[in-house]
Amino acid sequence: MTIPAGRGDDADHRSQRVSRFGEPLPLELLGIEPETSDFATFEGVRPHRHP
Protein backbone atom coordinates (compact mmCIF):
# COMPACT_ATOMS: atom_id res chain seq x y z
CA MET A 1 0.00 0.00 0.00
CA THR A 2 1.31 3.47 -0.77
CA ILE A 3 0.57 6.46 1.38
CA PRO A 4 -0.18 9.72 -0.48
CA ALA A 5 1.37 13.06 0.42
CA GLY A 6 -0.68 16.05 -0.74
CA ARG A 7 -4.11 16.27 -2.33
CA GLY A 8 -5.65 15.99 -5.77
CA ASP A 9 -3.41 16.48 -8.79
CA ASP A 10 -0.55 17.55 -6.49
CA ALA A 11 -0.55 14.26 -4.54
CA ASP A 12 2.54 12.09 -4.58
CA HIS A 13 3.19 8.64 -3.15
CA ARG A 14 6.38 9.01 -1.16
CA SER A 15 6.08 6.11 1.24
CA GLN A 16 4.67 2.62 1.32
CA ARG A 17 3.52 0.18 3.96
CA VAL A 18 4.07 -3.56 3.67
CA SER A 19 1.72 -5.78 5.65
CA ARG A 20 1.36 -9.51 5.95
CA PHE A 21 -1.65 -11.09 4.29
CA GLY A 22 -4.24 -11.89 6.94
CA GLU A 23 -3.26 -9.07 9.32
CA PRO A 24 -5.39 -5.94 9.78
CA LEU A 25 -4.46 -3.03 7.52
CA PRO A 26 -4.71 0.32 9.36
CA LEU A 27 -5.93 3.13 7.08
CA GLU A 28 -5.56 6.18 9.34
CA LEU A 29 -6.79 8.67 6.72
CA LEU A 30 -10.11 6.83 6.51
CA GLY A 31 -10.30 5.85 10.19
CA ILE A 32 -10.75 2.15 9.39
CA GLU A 33 -8.73 -1.04 9.79
CA PRO A 34 -10.00 -3.75 7.39
CA GLU A 35 -9.27 -7.38 8.20
CA THR A 36 -7.34 -8.80 5.22
CA SER A 37 -7.97 -12.44 6.11
CA ASP A 38 -11.36 -12.00 4.38
CA PHE A 39 -9.68 -11.16 1.06
CA ALA A 40 -9.60 -13.85 -1.62
CA THR A 41 -6.45 -15.11 -3.30
CA PHE A 42 -5.85 -16.27 -6.86
CA GLU A 43 -4.52 -19.77 -7.54
CA GLY A 44 -1.11 -19.98 -9.18
CA VAL A 45 -0.05 -16.42 -8.33
CA ARG A 46 3.48 -16.22 -6.98
CA PRO A 47 4.33 -13.72 -4.22
CA HIS A 48 6.22 -10.60 -5.27
CA ARG A 49 9.75 -10.08 -4.05
CA HIS A 50 9.25 -6.33 -3.78
CA PRO A 51 6.00 -4.38 -3.33
Side-chain angles (χ1 to χ4, degrees), residues 25-41:
L25 181 63
L27 301 173
E28 292 88 4
L29 293 174
L30 299 175
I32 61 174
E33 191 170 281
E35 181 64 48
T36 62
S37 61
D38 295 337
F39 296 171
T41 58

Side-chain angles (χ1 to χ4, degrees), residues 1-17 29:
M1 171 179 96
T2 59
I3 302 168
R7 292 185 165 276
D9 292 336
D10 296 324
D12 191 11
H13 295 272
R14 295 177 183 241
S15 63
Q16 66 182 8
R17 175 181 296 160
L29 293 174

